[in-house]
Amino acid sequence: METIEKGALYLVATPIGNLADMTFRAVHILQQADVIAAEDTRKSSVLLSHYQIHTPLRSYHSYNLKRETPRLIELLKQGQTVALISDAGTPGISDPGYHLVQACIQENIRIIPIPGPSAIITALVASGLPSHRFVFEGFLPRKKGRKTRLDQLAREERTVVLYESPHRILKTVKELHERMGDRSCVMARELTKKFEEFFRGTLAELEKYLESKPIKGEIVLLIQGFNKRD
Ligand code: SAM
């Protein structure tokens, strides 16, 4: 296996549910790094102890990134190797990873991505919706800018991929239905986990389904793009 580069930032993808989805390279890098920066150190310690990774962990979260970014940059400049992981999947997607990457670029620090699972791609490839062109929107804004974003998405011709929480999914599906009309959609839930589910239908059908029973777990929602002929 490769020799780890001193003073580099490694962006290490980790499983999105099933611990066996860890790559050999990810285990090797996390074992060799001097420090692992993780969003939620308690969550990450389950994965790390499973793979007997004893590298010191420190928290890197949206609430401490202003303070922690310069500290991590300082460690990197001193020649330490930092591995960044997120709660699940690929760091830098809907998490503070972007800020650290930006800071490293400004300081000429080498950034090495270690690819692996991501909820977006896992959901998209199995959805059955067109996957040759898609747009990832992350979490929709909760208040400010939400209506404008929904209107923009209603005209989007590529498959739209969103993250949503189980508490907000019904509201979001209702609003999408109102603004987009009835379209094909897929709700991909609990990917790679015991209760993995793909609901394939239309927005109206998904709305009915969600009204019939409350759901739990993590969700990726995919909506067919706007077809000008519709
Ligand atoms: N970095 C991650 C990635 O590569 O996909 C995503 C982090 S984002 C903060 C967390 C969101 O990803 C969750 O709220 C959910 O929408 C989605 N997600 C993560 N794991 C998932 C899973 N196993 N099944 C479905 N969605 C998942």
Side-chain angles (χ1 to χ4, degrees):
M1 200 70 80
E2 74 208 67
T3 312
I4 198 154
E5 272 194 41
K6 286 287 162 199
L9 172 71
Y10 284 83
L11 303 172
V12 183
T14 57
I16 55 169
N18 189 326
L19 290 188
D21 287 335
M22 188 80 168
T23 67
F24 289 116
R25 197 173 171 215
V27 173
H28 174 72
I29 298 295
L30 293 176
Q31 279 171 342
Q32 302 297 313
D34 295 306
V35 177
I36 298 173
E39 265 185 292
D40 184 332
T41 50
R42 271 214 320 219
K43 268 192 198 167
S44 294
S45 56
V46 176
L47 173 81
L48 299 179
S49 67
H50 183 83
Y51 284 100
Q52 293 171 4
I53 297 165
H54 306 296
T55 309
L57 257 179
R58 54 196 288 164
S59 158
Y60 187 64
H61 202 280
S62 48
Y63 60 70
N64 71 8
L65 68 89
K66 277 210 175 106
R67 191 190 66 214
E68 275 301 306
T69 305
R71 288 185 181 169
L72 290 172
I73 293 291
E74 203 39 53
L75 292 178
L76 287 156
K77 282 180 158 173
Q78 287 165 8
Q80 298 213 26
T81 305
V82 176
L84 178 70
I85 60 176
S86 80
D87 281 354
T90 301
I93 309 287
S94 303
D95 68 23
Y98 167 77
H99 297 272
L100 188 55
V101 168
Q102 277 292 320
C104 286
I105 292 168
Q106 274 167 26
E107 298 291 335
N108 271 325
I109 291 166
R110 196 157 135 73
I111 301 158
I112 304 174
I114 308 294
S118 170
I120 307 161
I121 302 297
T122 309
L124 180 68
V125 293
S127 69
L129 293 175
S131 55
H132 55 294
R133 290 175 74 221
F134 68 95
V135 51
F136 172 62
E137 275 294 317
F139 292 97
L140 288 175
R142 291 211 175 162
K143 290 196 178 108
K144 199 166 168 269
R146 185 174 170 95
K147 284 190 177 149
T148 317
R149 186 72 57 86
L150 286 167
D151 287 336
Q152 285 165 355
L153 291 181
R155 294 188 297 273
E156 174 56 60
E157 292 177 23
R158 295 167 288 185
T159 298
V160 175
V161 185
L162 301 170
Y163 285 154
E164 193 46 281
S165 79
H167 319 288
R168 302 181 61 85
I169 183 75
L170 176 58
K171 178 179 186 291
T172 295
V173 169
K174 273 188 176 161
E175 288 178 7
L176 288 166
H177 184 196
E178 270 167 30
R179 281 163 200 269
M180 291 181 157
D182 204 13
R183 302 235 191 124
S184 293
C185 70
V186 176
M187 178 181 67
R189 194 168 66 86
E190 293 290 85
L191 291 163
T192 76
K193 301 185 204 174
K194 189 173 173 193
F195 297 108
E196 179 176 271
E197 176 190 27
F198 282 90
F199 177 97
R200 298 183 179 86
T202 68
L203 285 167
E205 287 163 354
L206 179 56
E207 198 179 317
K208 242 192 191 161
Y209 177 72
L210 293 169
E211 274 165 351
S212 71
K213 63 166 194 178
I215 56 153
K216 289 186 186 158
E218 297 192 283
I219 299 167
V220 180
L221 179 64
L222 307 99
I223 308 115
Q224 178 135 37
F226 173 60
N227 184 340
K228 284 182 186 146
R229 286 163 295 177
D230 285 348

